Amino acid sequence: MKKYDYLIVGSGLFGSTFAYKAMQQGKKCLVIDKRLHLGGNIYSEKIEGINVHKYGAHIFHTSNRHVWDFVNSIVEFNRYTNSPIANYKGKLYNLPFNMNTFYQMWGVITPSEAMERIEEQKHEAAILLNGCEPQNLEEQALLLVGKDIYERLIKGYTEKQWGRKCTELPGFIIKRLPVRLIFDNNYFNDKYQGIPIGGYNRLTDGLLTGVETMVNTDFFENRAYWESVADKIVFTGKIDEYYGFRFGELEYRTVRFEEEIHDCCNYQGNAVVNYTEAEIPYTRIIEHKHFEMFGTEVDKCHKTVISKEYSTEWKPGMESYYPVNDKKNSTLYDRYKLLADNESNVIFGGRLAEYKYYDMHNIVEKVLGIFSNS
């Protein structure tokens, strides 16, 4: 008899949710994580009384009532609504593209006026294509929303995010660009959204209550031992690393964060401000207090913490954030997935193990589905 039913490698949202559901079924789990803390990328650190999202802003949103009820059964979520602002050369625009955006850009006040401007510019882009299909992201975006929106709100931000010219990026990256002909700044279309009251660490702590955990513990430093302690492994790390990079390394984009503490109650008046011009090196500034403080609460905390985000090319040893789902990497991942599909005692799950960008609700939904089918 092995000591554990499951060894769970990684304490992020997939691993923590899996441990919670397994515990409910009476299974004995051990969760290990190579970082010095639990929670993976949803980990927050308390700075000046503010929960700072250490690995980038995380906003929970879903239309799945079962998923929403589940996370709220662990910790109550607040009413935060994601309404980012774009700053282009000192002028502010609401996101996603809606009537507020079009008024700020053109001064139009009716949906028909806005649509007329957009269709006019889309028609100009179609003429330039001369009946050909878009060959890159720039051509695709121009065909979807026209020149003004593309040049002010898409081009610079996208090139910083991917480290490549829009003319060098595939069009499928922007399959569609939603245009709302209403005055609605809510970024997500989902029915539910919010942030855990008290921060994401409360969600992690709730999911892992009663579960044995170890931090600062690298699975690969003593792999033979860790493989011997449990009947099954739940692996949430990098799938190529699990297989010793035998086919080569998968590529990622990564993000670097610069934190600043400011002696003021309110730095930018919003949780998320995107900087869409190419000349500013960071992609956005996050002001963390706005995720959990609203109205007069903001002024009661006389300090604020911001994070400037810099998107960079990933190199070995850096944090792996966004899979590069181009043809080369997708083909490489398929080779690793073929190996994974033939594993009887290993469950691969999450962004790194499946080489796929996931929103948080997708992760929770996937784990709940695993146990509802078991």
Side-chain angles (χ1 to χ4, degrees):
M1 290 288 292
K2 294 190 177 181
K3 187 175 181 181
Y4 302 98
D5 296 295
Y6 292 105
L7 171 73
I8 300 171
V9 182
S11 64
L13 192 56
F14 189 100
S16 297
T17 306
F18 192 100
Y20 179 87
K21 294 301 292 183
M23 283 277 289
Q24 283 189 320
Q25 291 189 351
K27 304 297 185 182
K28 190 172 184 182
C29 302
L30 171 63
V31 177
I32 64 173
D33 201 297
K34 67 180 180 181
R35 290 175 176 168
L36 298 175
H37 60 75
L38 300 171
N41 283 4
I42 65 171
Y43 172 74
S44 296
E45 180 182 346
K46 188 82 78 174
I47 301 175
E48 299 291 344
I50 299 163
N51 289 312
V52 174
H53 299 207
K54 295 298 288 185
Y55 300 94
H58 284 78
I59 301 149
F60 200 98
H61 58 96
T62 183
S63 290
N64 186 324
R65 180 61 184 266
H66 181 48
V67 168
W68 184 245
D69 287 346
F70 172 77
V71 294
N72 275 269
S73 74
I74 308 298
V75 57
E76 185 181 357
F77 279 59
N78 67 19
R79 66 166 182 81
Y80 176 78
T81 300
N82 191 31
S83 302
I85 300 290
N87 184 318
Y88 177 75
K89 298 187 176 181
K91 293 187 177 181
L92 302 181
Y93 301 88
N94 288 105
L95 299 173
F97 310 138
N98 69 81
M99 284 302 299
N100 288 308
T101 320
F102 308 140
Y103 174 74
Q104 293 151 351
M105 187 161 293
W106 300 311
V108 297
I109 59 175
T110 68
S112 59
E113 289 177 307
M115 205 63 224
E116 184 178 346
R117 296 295 290 267
I118 294 169
E119 289 298 330
E120 180 182 297
Q121 294 192 7
K122 287 169 62 176
H123 180 65
E124 291 173 358
I127 290 174
L128 291 174
L129 284 175
N130 195 28
C132 298
E133 289 295 316
Q135 298 301 303
N136 53 56
L137 187 147
E138 178 168 288
E139 292 178 353
Q140 181 70 75
L142 289 170
L143 198 61
L144 289 170
V145 291
K147 180 179 179 180
D148 289 347
I149 295 173
Y150 168 70
E151 291 191 344
R152 296 185 206 180
L153 303 181
I154 297 172
K155 186 176 189 293
Y157 186 90
T158 303
E159 291 184 347
K160 287 188 290 187
Q161 190 176 39
W162 290 96
R164 294 164 179 79
K165 297 292 185 184
C166 286
T167 52
E168 299 170 4
L169 292 167
F172 73 78
I173 292 175
I174 297 184
K175 293 180 180 177
R176 63 184 183 87
L177 288 169
V179 171
R180 297 179 182 170
L181 297 176
I182 54 176
F183 291 89
D184 180 9
N185 299 324
N186 182 356
Y187 192 81
F188 299 120
N189 290 317
D190 288 310
K191 189 173 181 179
Y192 313 104
Q193 65 179 298
I195 305 288
I197 295 174
Y200 275 102
N201 292 356
R202 289 193 62 206
L203 176 62
T204 300
D205 292 344
L207 290 169
L208 293 176
T209 297
V211 178
E212 190 176 339
T213 62
M214 297 177 65
V215 296
N216 196 26
T217 303
D218 191 335
F219 171 79
F220 294 103
E221 287 184 356
N222 199 356
R223 179 169 181 162
Y225 168 74
W226 294 119
E227 289 178 331
S228 72
V229 301
D231 293 326
K232 288 192 175 184
I233 294 173
V234 178
F235 187 78
T236 70
K238 295 166 66 173
I239 189 171
D240 53 349
E241 186 175 16
Y242 183 86
Y243 288 109
F245 306 107
R246 69 176 67 175
F247 303 131
E249 293 191 36
L250 293 164
E251 295 176 321
Y252 297 84
R253 290 291 290 173
T254 190
V255 183
R256 177 172 61 86
F257 303 97
E258 285 185 0
E259 286 178 12
E260 298 175 3
I261 300 172
H262 289 265
D263 291 315
C264 64
C265 297
N266 195 346
Y267 180 83
Q268 63 186 17
N270 204 49
V272 183
V273 177
N274 292 354
Y275 285 79
T276 59
E277 61 190 275
E279 291 75 17
I280 291 179
Y282 43 85
T283 55
R284 61 182 185 173
I285 294 178
I286 304 299
E287 187 171 7
H288 298 269
K289 71 190 313 180
H290 294 295
F291 291 125
E292 298 183 62
M293 299 180 190
F294 310 104
T296 57
E297 293 176 329
V298 173
D299 298 327
K300 293 176 183 177
C301 179
H302 300 294
K303 299 262 190 177
T304 194
V305 183
I306 67 167
S307 297
K308 294 178 179 177
E309 297 189 6
Y310 298 80
S311 180
T312 61
E313 203 74 25
W314 175 85
K315 295 178 182 178
M318 291 182 171
E319 207 64 55
S320 304
Y321 279 94
Y322 304 110
V324 181
N325 295 124
D326 58 14
K327 184 176 180 180
K328 180 183 76 170
N329 283 284
S330 296
T331 300
L332 180 57
Y333 167 68
D334 286 341
R335 297 181 71 187
Y336 285 118
K337 186 176 185 302
L338 191 60
L339 297 178
D341 288 343
N342 290 313
E343 297 278 1
S344 59
N345 293 317
V346 185
I347 297 169
F348 293 87
R351 177 176 50 90
L352 302 178
E354 298 179 67
Y355 198 64
K356 179 179 179 181
Y357 180 78
Y358 276 113
D359 285 325
M360 288 182 288
H361 67 286
N362 299 132
I363 290 288
V364 174
E365 188 171 23
K366 181 156 191 174
V367 176
L368 296 182
I370 290 172
F371 282 90
S372 67
N373 295 326
S374 61

